[in-house]
Amino acid sequence: MPLTHPVRDLWAQKKCAANAWISTGSAFVAEIHALQGYDTVTVDMQHGMGDFGQTLACFQGIRSGG
């Protein structure tokens, strides 16, 4: 069974993907953004305020948010 990628599927249909951009390093904020219906959530490690551990927690929050 081939893997699907929701954003690539949108692009193939000539549609836009909505992205949330977070730079707080807060897993709670990441989870809330993931629950808002965005197609993607970007965790900014370059300009953001979080370290590696906080970024990992953000990814876990995003995953639990869907």
Side-chain angles (χ1 to χ4, degrees):
M1 178 167 67
L3 296 175
T4 62
H5 191 287
V7 173
R8 288 185 183 156
D9 293 344
L10 286 171
W11 291 343
Q13 299 170 27
K14 305 293 185 202
K15 294 182 180 179
C16 294
N19 179 64
W21 189 284
I22 61 171
S23 58
T24 65
S26 167
F28 176 71
V29 170
E31 183 176 357
I32 294 300
H33 277 79
L35 290 168
Q36 298 306 306
Y38 290 101
D39 298 306
T40 63
V41 178
T42 300
V43 180
D44 187 346
M45 290 182 65
Q46 181 177 2
H47 304 101
M49 297 169 52
D51 61 15
F52 181 76
Q54 290 171 316
T55 301
L56 178 61
C58 284
F59 292 154
Q60 292 169 331
I62 291 167
R63 179 68 177 130
S64 69

